[in-house]
Structure formats: C-alpha cells, structure tokens
Amino acid sequence: MLGYFGRRLLYVVVTLWAISIAAFVIINLPPGDYVSTLIANAQAGGEGLTPAEIVNLRLRYGLDDPIFVQYWRWITAILLHGDFGQSFAWNQPVATLIGERVALSAILSISSLLMVWAIAFPIGIYSAVKQYSWGDYGFSFLGFIGMAVPEFMLALVLMYIGFRFFGASVGGLFSPEFQDAAWNLGKVLDLMGHLWVPILVIGVSGTAGMIRVTRANLLDELYRPYVHTARAKGLPEWKLLLKYPVRMSLSPFFSTVGWLLPGLIGGETIVSVVMSLPTGGPLLLSGVMSQDMYLVGSFIMILSTLTVVGTVVSDLALAWWDPRIRKRYKRE
Amino acid sequence: MPEDDVLLEIEDLRTHFLLDDGVVCAVDGVDLRVRKGETLAIVGESGCGKSVMARSILRLVDPPGQIEGGRITLHREDGPVELVGADKRLLRQVRWRDIAMVFQEPMASLSLVHTIGSQIVEAVRLHENVGKAEARERAIDMLDRVGIPKPRRRVDAYPFELSGGMRQRAMIAMALSCRPSLLIADEPTTALDVTTQAQILELLRDLQAEFGMAIMMITHDLGVAAQVADRMAVMYLGRVVEYGAAEQVLSAPRHPYAQALLRSMPRLGRASRTRLAAIKGMVPPPFARPAGCTFHPRCDSAMTGRCDTVTPSRIPVGDREVSCLLYDDEQEERP
C-alpha cells in the first residue's frame, strides 16, 4: 500500500513538472506580452509611452530574457521561496491576490456542493426506486430544465428579480455599505443574504446532473442478486436500500470526488463574472486578457496541482470506500 | 386434507408479469407441497417459471412481476401462516427465519463490499436477540460447519477473496444461520464446476441430516435432482405437470413432457452411441400460450379435439399427480 502511494507521489511530481512547462510555454505563445498590452492601452487612452519607458519596463519584468531563463526564475521562486511572482497588472504578489479570493471561492463552492448533495441524493434515490412513476417523471423534467438553462441566464434573471422585487443590490457578495468594512456580525449576515443567489445559480445545473447520475448508478445496482439476498434475509426495505445498492452506487461518486478540489479556487468563472463575485475565476480571466503572465502561470499551476492532488485524494477515498480497490492496492 | 408433516403448501399460485406487450403468466396455477425434512426438486427447462415460483414464496418477485392469486401456507410450530396476503412485518419475520434462500451466482448474491462475517451476523441479529460477539461466534461456527477451512480468519474475508465453491459454502452458511425449516436452493450449483457441484450437493445432504430442514431444490439438471431429491415436481410453462416420489418420476415418468425430458438426458454407458432424443418443437413465445394443455403442440400423444381445448387438471395416478388428459379416463373409471 505504501509502495503504491509512493509511486503515485512520484508520478504526481513528474506530472506537475510537465504541466508547469506546458503552462508557461502556452502563456508565452500569443504574440506580444504584458508591456505591449500596456502600450496598446496607453495609446487607446491617448497617451504614448516613450521608448525609454518601454525599455525600462521590459527590463524590469525581465521580458527580454530567453524563455527558459524566465521559466527557471519563475519555478525556482515557487519551489524555493513559495513565491508565485508579481502580478504586473495589480502590482501585487500573486499569492496575495489569489489568497484574498480563496476564502470566498471556497465558501461558494462548498455551500453549493452541499446544496447539490442534499437535494440531489434523496431525489436521485427516489427517482431510481420509483422509476417511471409520476414523481420520477416530474423530477426528470425539472432536472432536464435545470441542465438546459445556461447558468449566466439564470444569474441574470435572478438578479433582475432580486433587484426589481426585493430591492437587493445587483451583483457582488456585499451591500455597498459593507463592501470595504471590517468583518463583523453585520457583514457576515449581509454576506449570507447575498450568497444564496450564486449558490442557487451554481447549484441548479449541478443538482440536475447529480440527480441523473445518482439515479442511473442506483438503477444499475437495484436489481442485482445481492439486493434479493438482502431482502430475502428480512431486512426492512429502506435499510437494505441504503446499506446495499446505494452504498455500491456511490463508488463512481467517490472516484471523482477529488476533482472538486480545483473548483474551490477557480470554479464558476462565468457566473462570477456575470454577478461580479470576487472569486478566483474572474481574476484568472482578466490575467489572461492582459497577458499578466506570472498571475496566469501561477494560477494554472495551483489549479493543476489541486487537480492532480484531487485525483490522488479520489483514489484514496475510493480505497477507503471499496474493499475491492483497497485489497488491490495492498497487493501492489 | 393437509397431512401432519406438511411444511409448505402452495395452492393455485399465479405470478404474472404485466409488460407493455402483454401479460406473461410465468407461474400459472402451481400446486405443491413440501414436507418437513424432505427434499423436493423442481425441474424444468429455462423459462418454465420455477425460479419465479420459488421467489414468489418469499414474495421476492421484482416488478413488473406480481402475484395474481393463490395461497401459500407455511405450517410453523405455532400454527399456519399464509404468505401471499401476509403483511410486511410477518413477511420479514418469515424470511430467513423460517425460509432461507441460496441463489445461483454466489459472487453476485453476496455483497462484495461487506465481509462474509458481517453479512451472516446481520442475518442472525435481525432475527434473534443476540449480541454482536455472540452472533460473530455463530458465524464462525456456521462457516466451520459448511467446511470452510480456517473459519476464524475467513469470517473477515470479502466474498471476492474466496473461490466460487467457498463462496457458495459461505452463502449456505448464511442461509442456515437462523436454522430455517425450509431452504430454497435456486440452481445452487449451476455456476460451479462439476467437482465443486458434487461437493456442494453432498454438503447440502449432510447439513439436512444435521439441521433437519426441508430443501426445495430448483434445477434444470435432472442429474442434480436425481442425486438429492426425495420428491420431484416437473414444471412446464408455469404449471406443475407431474409431481411424485423422485424415484418413480425418474424411472417411470407418466406425463409426456416428463418422459420427453428424461429421454433427452444423456446417460453414461447404456446406448451411449445412440442419438439423444430432443423434445420436438420450441417453447412457445410467452405471449402466445397454446390453449388447452400448453404442451399439446409438442406432445407425441396429443389427442386432437381434446388436448387443444380442455385444460387438464391434476389427476392422481397411483401416488402421483399428473396433469395430462391421457390419464383422465383412468380416474373417471374409479368411483
């Protein structure tokens, strides 16, 4: 078991190294760099940058060094000092920028996940057990609507309703008076009051999808012989349902649970942009648009690390959940 | 006139599947009796309804199948109970405590994510008021009795860590853990190789002698039936066509279907060079049951004008019951 995970960790390191190179190269692929974006912006604003200023800027950001030198500088800083570099556009350390947004991103992701699970699991189980009943058809219908409606549209509609009928401020997670206030009870309550809209928006399509997955996975198990055995033993129906087929049907869920990790800092970009939520997604998007290369590179690096780690976490979770997997790891 | 030693009585059991294309009468008026401590073999081709019949006893038929009618009476020590109309509470009590089942695929019938011990313990604690430790000792004892080596270690094994034969032994251990008065074995040896099959049959016979339970053995294999059965019921298209002592049914079958079935069985030694006789024709499609006797289109002795119009009832022939119009006259001759 230890040997198996030792090998897995080695693969993780190699994968991340490959990703870091790929990410860095891709960031540098489009023509131009951050300084050319600055020049274009300055010209659009009617001001020009003098050639001396341009040279100075390029020198300061080290943009004229060969790409592998730039890469080396970036990756050694991360590895040796935990320094993800400076964001050009924000003139702040990338770590600070992302760190500010992690908490809100995580709150948003976790609470919408909890909502998805709390609603989708019971409904999915119900739909599978009562397959082709009116209830099943009803939930399937709602589920397809939930999956088909684009998130940004739902966000716009909800914001309109909130503004028109409840007088809520449009977008953001705080009312204007709390925007820059220090944390206190009032600000927390204000956050709660705003948070439900994005949670609902993000949760709807996730819930709809989860219902379908839960239903399909459970239907695969519901008529297996071991369920007959359990019933023949005289177990009450709901108890045998949860203990045997539902348990078995959760294996695919555990094998993907780790992929939720990157979503904690970077998910739901479109909804966040539409609702102007201060989460990680819009930050990454703006960085890509202005060729803010250390911001984007480090962001992608963190997301990739979370994805790769998430996969390992998934495998561990599955081994914990399913003895067949556990025994196989032990043999290896 | 139920005799004293009757354990389970099935009367006119009908289990139908209501499908979109029509109704399939999988079990269509079965009458059977199982006596205490005896082994009754139910034989018949695939699709004759023997498994559905067995599942109907514990009401384990999945929708769209449902029991349309009939009575199933279990004679318990504290009096008879009727199972077709029983409420869930009584049914759960009867399941495993009075009637336990062993299924065809031990790999699929045991939960793969629970240890064998925990599955046996669950059954024991469901029906008896015993503590965890005691139930576990019972599980170990049962594993020992079904011939699983090192039961103290195997009790914590998962089903996928055992061989097919060992898995079926574990399943049998689980089935007998509550000392049922009837064990329904639904093709228990079909998924196993021949050597293991013989061992499992012998084990069942030994356990029957030890625990004294009755066994209902569902099988399509006349060889298996011949090995274990005291009594035998031959099923065709959802009905019992012949029911009697196993020796008699096997040596001198009366119903044309039973006769044809026996002729189609290969025998060692005698006439091994002759071609096996096949039963002529095909099993009719489920939505188009022949009128009258359902076997008449395939029957060599079919009487035109009679077998295709009159549904034969059970006719006592000697100490057997045969559902065939050929023997109808014999009965009428008697007073």
Side-chain angles (χ1 to χ4, degrees):
Chain A
M1 189 99 156
L2 274 179
Y4 173 80
F5 277 101
R7 214 162 59 237
R8 282 299 300 269
L9 278 182
L10 186 70
Y11 294 156
V12 166
V13 172
V14 174
T15 313
L16 287 177
W17 175 68
I19 290 173
S20 74
I21 291 178
F24 202 80
V25 168
I26 290 171
I27 295 162
N28 282 289
L29 271 185
D33 49 35
Y34 178 64
V35 172
S36 52
T37 315
L38 267 189
I39 297 168
N41 283 349
Q43 275 169 350
E47 317 161 27
L49 288 172
T50 64
E53 277 175 322
I54 293 171
V55 169
N56 256 337
L57 278 171
R58 299 190 70 84
L59 205 64
R60 197 169 112 206
Y61 296 136
L63 293 176
D64 291 325
D65 295 334
I67 184 169
F68 55 85
V69 173
Q70 294 187 40
Y71 170 76
W72 184 250
R73 205 161 47 219
W74 174 63
I75 202 73
T76 47
I78 292 179
L79 288 180
L80 299 181
H81 311 292
D83 175 8
F84 288 92
Q86 287 282 120
S87 159
F88 302 147
W90 297 74
N91 211 7
Q92 276 183 35
V94 170
T96 318
L97 276 176
I98 295 179
E100 275 174 3
R101 287 150 186 265
V102 167
L104 276 179
S105 293
I107 289 176
L108 202 58
S109 298
I110 292 174
S111 25
S112 36
L113 260 184
L114 290 180
M115 178 192 117
V116 166
W117 290 345
I119 298 177
F121 280 138
I123 293 183
I125 292 172
Y126 171 85
S127 276
V129 174
K130 304 270 178 200
Q131 194 188 9
Y132 302 141
S133 67
W134 283 108
D136 177 30
Y137 284 130
F139 284 126
S140 295
F141 179 69
L142 288 179
F144 281 127
I145 290 183
M147 278 199 286
V149 174
E151 287 181 346
F152 67 87
M153 196 175 97
L154 193 61
L156 288 174
V157 169
L158 279 180
M159 281 186 338
Y160 174 77
I161 292 175
F163 175 71
R164 183 79 176 71
F165 299 102
F166 300 103
S169 58
V170 176
L173 284 178
F174 301 103
S175 305
E177 62 268 31
F178 287 109
Q179 195 71 57
D180 296 313
W183 282 99
N184 58 35
L185 189 64
K187 187 167 177 173
V188 172
L189 290 178
D190 185 54
L191 175 66
M192 297 293 186
H194 283 81
L195 205 54
W196 67 270
V197 185
I199 289 177
L200 195 66
V201 171
I202 297 168
V204 162
S205 74
T207 306
M210 197 71 184
I211 289 176
R212 302 307 296 169
V213 172
T214 310
R215 179 179 181 273
N217 286 344
L218 186 54
L219 277 175
D220 273 350
E221 300 293 334
L222 218 44
Y223 301 102
R224 294 282 176 97
Y226 68 86
V227 184
H228 282 125
T229 308
R231 196 169 289 133
K233 275 161 125 178
L235 275 171
E237 196 62 21
W238 61 269
K239 200 171 166 186
L240 81 90
L241 196 68
L242 291 181
K243 182 164 179 188
Y244 293 101
V246 169
R247 197 203 141 119
M248 289 292 273
S249 74
L250 283 181
S251 281
F253 166 76
F254 274 94
S255 63
T256 55
V257 74
W259 297 349
L260 303 171
L261 218 48
L264 292 186
I265 69 156
E268 315 308 342
T269 305
I270 297 176
V271 174
S272 294
V273 170
V274 171
M275 309 190 76
S276 46
L277 306 177
T279 62
L283 183 68
L284 176 61
L285 186 66
S286 72
V288 171
M289 305 226 293
S290 63
Q291 295 195 322
D292 195 346
M293 68 183 226
Y294 289 118
L295 175 61
V296 176
S298 300
F299 210 115
I300 289 179
M301 208 52 224
I302 294 171
L303 282 184
S304 311
T305 309
L306 288 177
T307 308
V308 176
V309 170
T311 311
V312 178
V313 168
S314 268
D315 289 354
L316 278 174
L318 193 60
W320 168 73
W321 184 251
D322 191 330
R324 287 170 293 181
I325 310 286
R326 188 160 66 232
K327 300 278 169 170
R328 200 165 71 213
Y329 288 168
K330 274 190 182 153
R331 276 199 305 275
E332 280 184 29
Chain B
M1 27 85 242
E3 297 125 274
D4 278 352
D5 59 346
V6 169
L7 176 66
L8 186 79
E9 248 180 309
I10 302 174
E11 292 160 274
D12 195 28
L13 178 69
R14 276 167 287 125
T15 305
H16 295 177
F17 285 77
L18 311 171
L19 304 178
D20 291 340
D21 301 326
V23 178
V24 176
C25 308
V27 178
D28 202 16
V30 162
D31 295 277
L32 275 178
R33 286 179 305 282
V34 185
R35 290 180 175 78
K36 283 175 187 149
E38 76 166 6
T39 301
L40 170 69
I42 315 280
V43 298
E45 292 164 277
S46 309
C48 72
K50 52 194 191 305
S51 270
V52 176
M53 189 274 293
R55 271 154 207 250
S56 301
I57 296 172
L58 284 182
R59 300 236 309 262
L60 293 173
V61 185
D62 280 324
Q66 64 183 62
I67 300 177
E68 290 288 319
R71 289 169 57 80
I72 299 173
T73 314
L74 174 72
H75 295 273
R76 302 211 282 197
E77 273 170 25
D78 52 356
V81 289
E82 204 283 316
L83 299 182
V84 170
D87 62 28
K88 283 181 182 168
R89 243 179 99 86
L90 174 63
L91 200 61
R92 283 208 303 268
Q93 217 181 69
V94 168
R95 287 174 176 174
W96 227 254
R97 167 148 205 83
D98 296 303
I99 305 176
M101 278 187 93
V102 173
F103 299 92
Q104 178 171 346
E105 282 274 358
M107 186 71 164
S109 306
L110 289 161
S111 164
L112 295 183
V113 295
H114 297 92
T115 60
I116 285 164
S118 77
Q119 296 183 59
I120 300 179
V121 165
E122 179 189 56
V124 172
R125 299 197 67 202
L126 209 53
H127 295 284
E128 285 171 49
N129 191 16
V130 295
K132 267 188 186 157
E134 198 186 333
R136 187 182 155 88
E137 282 308 310
R138 178 98 143 260
I140 294 170
D141 177 51
M142 285 310 301
L143 291 177
D144 191 29
R145 284 180 193 225
V146 297
I148 291 182
K150 297 184 198 138
R152 214 157 269 284
R153 247 182 60 200
R154 292 288 164 77
V155 74
D156 293 317
Y158 290 93
F160 57 86
E161 295 176 288
L162 303 180
S163 68
M166 285 299 150
R167 261 179 237 138
Q168 197 58 299
R169 280 170 196 263
M171 185 76 211
I172 292 170
M174 185 159 88
L176 297 183
S177 59
C178 297
R179 309 283 156 92
S181 46
L182 173 64
L183 176 70
I184 301 175
D186 187 356
E187 306 262 11
T189 57
T190 307
L192 307 173
D193 63 67
V194 183
T195 323
T196 319
Q197 174 172 325
Q199 288 169 359
I200 294 288
L201 291 179
E202 200 184 312
L203 173 72
L204 280 175
R205 224 170 18 217
D206 293 348
L207 290 171
Q208 188 174 29
E210 194 181 336
F211 289 84
M213 76 280 184
I215 297 179
M216 179 187 275
M217 173 79 76
I218 319 287
T219 180
H220 66 269
D221 187 337
L222 288 169
V224 169
Q227 262 185 72
V228 297
D230 301 312
R231 222 168 276 271
M232 210 163 125
V234 182
M235 277 185 75
Y236 183 74
L237 288 188
R239 295 214 180 105
V240 175
V241 294
E242 181 157 352
Y243 170 73
E247 277 171 31
Q248 290 181 22
V249 175
L250 284 166
S251 60
R254 305 298 289 263
H255 192 282
Y257 174 68
Q259 291 167 353
L261 202 62
L262 272 158
R263 274 202 305 274
S264 67
M265 193 170 112
R267 297 197 179 192
L268 219 55
R270 179 166 69 88
S272 55
R273 279 169 175 272
T274 54
R275 283 179 72 93
L276 278 176
I279 304 177
K280 75 172 184 187
M282 304 270 284
V283 177
F287 300 117
R289 288 286 160 86
C293 168
T294 47
F295 188 59
H296 84 263
R298 306 174 73 185
C299 181
D300 290 325
S301 337
M303 299 172 283
T304 324
R306 234 161 105 57
C307 290
D308 48 1
T309 50
V310 183
T311 307
S313 52
R314 289 182 303 143
I315 298 149
V317 179
D319 49 2
R320 256 184 275 180
E321 285 168 9
V322 184
S323 300
C324 179
L325 294 169
L326 287 175
Y327 304 95
D328 206 12
D329 306 330
E330 286 179 30
Q331 196 209 6
E332 278 168 12
E333 281 163 20
R334 269 179 249 165

